Amino acid sequence: MAIRRSIFLVNNLSKRLASALIVFSCMVTTTAFAVPAIEEYGRLPAVSNMRISPSGNLLAFRKTANDKDYLVVFDLQQQKILHSVDLSAINPQHFYFLDEKNLVLIVSDYMRIQGYRGMHNMSSAYRIQIEKGDVDQLLTPGYKIYLGQLGLGRVVGLNKSRTHVYMPAFIGEPHVEAPPMALMRVNIKNPRKIKAVYTGRNHTVDFFIGPDGEPIAEERYNDRNNLHQVLARHGNSWEVIYEQEVEIRTASFAGITADGKHLVMLQEDGKTKRNNYYLMSLADGSLSRTNFGRPDRDVEELYEDMNRVVYGVRYSGFNPSYSFFDSKIDAFVTSLLAKFPEHSVWLSSWSNGWDKVTFKVEGSQYAEDYFVADRSGKIDYITTARPNVDVADINPIGTFQYSASDGLKIPALLTIPRDKIQNMKNLPAVILPHGGPESYDRIGFDFLPQVLASRGYLVVQPQFRGSDGFGGDFVRAGYGEWGKKMQTDLSDAVTVLSKKGMLDPDHVCIVGWSYGGYAALAGGAFSPELYKCVVSINGVSDLPKMMRSERRDMGRDSWVLSYWSLAMANGDASNEKLKSISPAYFADQFKAPVLLIHGERDKVVPIEQSKVMLSRLKKAGKDVQLIVANDDSHGLIDGENRVKAVKAVVEFVDSHIGK
């Protein structure tokens, strides 16, 4: 097995601490090590989004170096770079091979659209001809499609001769109030040759392509009447085979079977309360269960080809696990996971027939390392995303479960300072709630926990109620609990670990991003005695203001408003109710100093949310500062901005709870 970084035997060290169980997925060593500079954690990964070509001979990946972004195509047989494209002027989202000669690149750009107000994040798909380096946009707003649309990066199918791709887009003249969505057939060699092969409605959300390369199904969701439908092609006509009236879609149609006779539907199982895998007949809409659902995991992701034919699934969990329909592929993937016990192994791409796969490994001994494996059992190390972070620099990650004050079991992750692993007593700590809130943390190389642990802090990541990945009941337990039980789930972690003597309750800060930023601010507002400092990165502070901006951007009938109303206030999203859980309205209760960091062009959580919090805290005479990440978005994707943000967080935490 050709791997540069040795795979260590992993010791499972467990400690039963009354109601708490901590499992450290690491090998404890006492070797002295040099702590990397803060910048090494803040930098964007040097390599990301690695993909293999259908033949298994080529690799494509994003390379970030010296504030430049490159798309690199590498020949595995010749061991040389074939082509490199400078992507620095755009935001490369992801890419994949169409064939051995062409790549599809999805990019995002912050721009104005002629005739429309404001700036917008525009996503587009480009075809890159590998040998010549020619780059062509596949769909261009205003050219045979509607001008005022943002998401043009989706490819939903490929014809049998592999000469055309199918892409959804709105069509019609500029400023039409409700343009219909059509399925566009785009010539790969000459993207100016496009044609609408099927036209849906304004509320069409998806199309599916059959084995013959023609559309076989259309999905619709009408916000005005909450009607969710699937139509199937029966000969020359289209018939409704699925219809449900729901405020929020609960069924996700995500793929098709190889014979083109069924759609794959993901939906919560009424018995297990876990996301399950169903087949829906395109003939009559009948549903059938499969054996791919699990009582202890959600079906989280599908592995599918260009025409969305499904090969297998990935399940939720702190470490990903997989199941594939083909027993040989399943055995191949299972053998890979066995080589990296208790680490996260992320499958990213595969060649024809799954003879080769690319994957990334993260955890207590791997800082985002990339590999290629084949069915013979050979595993080749390719590169690392963190060239200046060695095994000895990685702080171990442990799993932890504790009881909330009402008895609900809360899973959590701990990132432990490496030199404290054998003496975890009275450590200064950072509570780090995740974003979403319907998301969850995983075992991996997460730069914020790692940089904070490298500076001596115990980093606690509670998977508070409302988090995804632990079943439908756990998600629903968070409805209406913003600022309430979702918040006390965080403070309960401090209480439990403090009683066990692992953290010092007088040296605790709370740091969060997005919803986590809201939770950090809520901690400062509603638990002012608990935290000695508060950091909110792109966080929400004023929920009524958030709902107004969502209504403006999404429309008053949008299911998004229904979702936020349910999540934040269990359906009672009155101004008064939302104000009662908004940190901006409780600035006078803050005792801890506050650091706000926000991307200037964040469209997910507008910067006004941090500006409101800044103004209210200043007016209340509190210690607060705002750092604006210029020309950056919700994810702080600019490398320089991210480094500045990470340095600011560490320095701020050091100044208040550093020992």
Side-chain angles (χ1 to χ4, degrees):
M1 185 168 61
I3 301 179
R4 189 199 67 175
R5 294 194 175 193
S6 300
I7 298 177
F8 297 96
L9 293 176
V10 180
N11 296 328
N12 293 322
L13 304 179
S14 61
K15 294 182 180 180
R16 293 197 173 274
L17 303 174
S19 61
L21 172 66
I22 303 174
V23 178
F24 302 106
S25 48
C26 63
M27 186 184 75
V28 179
T29 64
T30 56
T31 305
F33 64 97
V35 177
I38 295 174
E39 289 87 342
E40 297 304 332
Y41 297 94
R43 287 194 178 105
L44 296 176
V47 171
S48 59
N49 198 49
M50 186 168 289
R51 296 291 183 265
I52 197 165
S53 68
S55 70
N57 294 330
L58 304 178
L59 287 179
F61 52 89
R62 178 184 178 184
K63 174 70 175 176
T64 303
N66 301 319
D67 296 323
K68 292 284 188 179
D69 262 330
Y70 300 94
L71 169 61
V72 178
V73 180
F74 183 80
D75 190 309
L76 285 169
Q77 292 182 327
Q78 300 181 54
Q79 289 290 296
K80 71 175 185 179
I81 293 175
L82 295 183
H83 196 67
S84 179
V85 180
D86 189 348
L87 306 176
S88 304
I90 56 179
N91 173 25
Q93 301 285 298
H94 62 276
F95 40 81
Y96 52 87
F97 284 93
L98 275 175
D99 50 36
E100 298 302 304
K101 296 181 179 180
N102 297 282
L103 282 160
V104 171
L105 169 67
I106 313 299
V107 305
S108 179
D109 198 7
Y110 192 63
M111 59 186 293
R112 292 188 182 276
I113 302 174
Q114 186 177 1
Y116 295 85
R117 291 184 299 176
M119 299 287 287
H120 304 276
N121 286 321
M122 168 76 77
S123 65
S124 303
Y126 290 82
R127 187 268 296 148
I128 298 179
Q129 208 281 336
I130 295 172
E131 292 180 358
K132 297 180 180 179
D134 292 343
V135 179
D136 286 301
Q137 188 168 355
L138 291 177
L139 287 178
T140 304
Y143 179 74
K144 296 187 179 181
I145 62 172
Y146 188 67
L147 177 62
Q149 55 187 307
L150 304 178
L152 289 173
R154 291 180 62 212
V155 173
V156 298
L158 183 68
N159 70 338
K160 292 183 72 173
S161 58
R162 307 182 75 86
T163 58
H164 294 75
V165 292
Y166 292 93
M167 304 178 68
F170 291 106
I171 59 174
E173 297 300 317
H175 306 296
V176 171
E177 184 175 346
M181 180 176 282
L183 185 63
M184 311 300 295
R185 185 170 61 203
V186 185
N187 187 293
I188 295 172
K189 289 185 177 180
N190 184 2
R192 302 297 282 181
K193 294 182 179 180
I194 64 175
K195 179 182 179 181
V197 297
Y198 175 75
T199 301
R201 303 286 182 86
N202 177 256
H203 52 271
T204 296
V205 295
D206 208 352
F207 298 104
F208 293 88
I209 308 300
D212 61 355
E214 294 298 325
I216 58 172
E218 175 195 358
E219 182 183 6
R220 299 174 179 174
Y221 181 73
N222 191 328
D223 276 314
R224 291 188 176 181
N225 58 17
N226 300 326
L227 194 62
H228 189 194
Q229 295 176 310
V230 173
L231 290 77
R233 187 182 69 187
H234 292 165
N236 294 323
S237 64
W238 288 77
E239 297 180 14
V240 175
I241 60 169
Y242 173 90
E243 187 170 275
Q244 294 288 330
E245 188 175 335
V246 288
E247 272 195 296
I248 303 169
R249 279 178 285 170
T250 57
S252 171
F253 296 95
I256 64 173
T257 55
D259 60 9
K261 294 182 179 181
H262 295 81
L263 289 185
V264 174
M265 184 182 83
L266 302 182
Q267 184 170 256
E268 184 178 317
D269 188 305
K271 294 181 179 179
T272 66
K273 307 302 181 184
R274 290 286 186 171
N275 217 31
N276 207 341
Y277 184 103
Y278 298 88
L279 298 180
M280 189 178 76
S281 169
L282 288 171
D284 58 12
S286 58
L287 286 178
S288 56
R289 295 169 62 93
T290 68
N291 60 354
F292 287 97
R294 288 176 53 173
D296 61 336
R297 296 283 188 272
D298 293 310
V299 176
E300 188 171 71
E301 188 72 34
L302 301 181
Y303 283 81
E304 52 191 25
D305 65 14
M306 285 285 297
N307 281 339
R308 303 166 80 181
V309 173
V310 181
Y311 293 97
V313 302
R314 188 184 79 216
Y315 298 102
S316 63
F318 283 142
N319 302 109
S321 54
Y322 306 87
S323 184
F324 288 87
F325 310 151
D326 185 307
S327 60
K328 293 181 179 179
I329 296 175
D330 195 61
F332 176 34
V333 173
T334 299
S335 70
L336 293 180
L337 270 62
K339 300 291 196 305
F340 304 89
E342 299 192 36
H343 285 71
S344 290
V345 177
W346 300 100
L347 298 178
S348 55
S349 67
W350 56 91
S351 64
N352 286 337
W354 287 75
D355 292 324
K356 290 183 179 180
V357 298
T358 61
F359 61 96
K360 179 176 71 172
V361 182
E362 299 179 272
S364 295
Q365 293 157 19
Y366 292 90
E368 298 183 86
D369 288 3
Y370 287 89
F371 301 85
V372 172
D374 63 30
R375 298 238 197 155
S376 71
K378 181 184 178 184
I379 301 178
D380 289 323
Y381 169 83
I382 302 300
T383 189
T384 181
R386 304 282 177 178
N388 296 321
V389 177
D390 203 8
V391 173
D393 301 324
I394 304 172
N395 298 282
I397 305 155
T399 60
F400 168 61
Q401 182 172 279
Y402 61 96
S403 294
S405 53
D406 64 356
L408 184 66
K409 298 297 183 183
I410 307 296
L413 292 177
L414 297 179
T415 304
I416 306 111
R418 193 173 182 87
D419 61 346
K420 303 294 184 183
I421 188 68
Q422 296 184 12
N423 187 30
M424 288 188 293
K425 294 181 180 179
N426 290 323
L427 297 178
V430 173
I431 305 300
L432 189 64
H434 60 72
E438 281 192 41
S439 179
Y440 68 99
D441 296 304
R442 297 164 174 84
I443 289 175
F445 190 88
D446 190 335
F447 66 91
L448 265 182
Q450 284 293 324
V451 72
L452 289 165
S454 75
R455 268 59 196 169
Y457 302 107
L458 177 67
V459 182
V460 187
Q461 294 174 275
Q463 309 307 296
F464 46 83
R465 70 192 70 205
S467 299
D468 201 7
F470 305 97
D473 286 343
F474 197 80
V475 170
R476 286 183 289 274
Y479 288 172
E481 297 297 341
W482 284 44
K484 300 176 184 177
K485 289 184 179 180
M486 289 169 73
Q487 204 64 35
T488 57
D489 288 346
L490 305 178
S491 53
D492 287 340
V494 176
T495 301
V496 169
L497 292 173
S498 175
K499 286 181 178 179
K500 303 306 174 186
M502 295 174 62
L503 66 73
D504 180 350
D506 294 325
H507 289 78
V508 180
C509 283
I510 185 167
V511 177
W513 199 311
S514 194
Y515 170 83
Y518 163 82
L521 294 172
F526 306 132
S527 305
E529 304 290 344
L530 190 61
Y531 302 110
K532 297 301 181 283
C533 67
V534 173
V535 180
S536 170
I537 305 172
N538 294 335
V540 179
S541 67
D542 186 333
L543 299 185
K545 187 178 184 68
M546 171 186 161
M547 288 294 277
R548 289 194 296 271
S549 65
E550 291 286 77
R551 187 177 297 111
R552 180 195 65 226
D553 295 342
M554 307 301 296
R556 64 177 59 253
D557 295 321
S558 174
W559 67 271
V560 173
L561 298 179
S562 299
Y563 168 75
W564 286 125
S565 174
L566 180 65
M568 293 188 294
N570 209 20
D572 178 23
S574 64
N575 270 357
E576 289 308 309
K577 185 72 174 286
L578 295 183
K579 284 181 180 180
S580 72
I581 53 174
S582 294
Y585 293 89
F586 296 88
D588 59 323
Q589 295 186 181
F590 277 74
K591 292 187 177 181
V594 177
L595 172 63
L596 304 167
I597 301 173
H598 218 113
E600 181 184 31
R601 55 183 177 88
D602 187 349
K603 285 289 190 177
V604 178
V605 178
I607 194 172
E608 283 72 24
Q609 288 287 333
S610 284
K611 289 182 176 179
V612 166
M613 194 73 245
L614 176 71
S615 175
R616 299 281 176 85
L617 287 170
K618 278 188 172 181
K619 188 176 181 180
K622 306 299 180 179
D623 184 352
V624 60
Q625 59 178 304
L626 170 63
I627 296 174
V628 177
N630 295 321
D631 297 322
D632 214 339
S633 60
H634 192 65
L636 298 187
I637 58 175
D638 178 87
E640 183 178 350
N641 280 333
R642 184 173 287 191
V643 167
K644 288 180 180 178
V646 170
K647 290 182 71 173
V649 170
V650 172
E651 290 169 3
F652 186 75
V653 172
D654 279 347
S655 67
H656 295 291
I657 62 169
K659 288 188 175 182

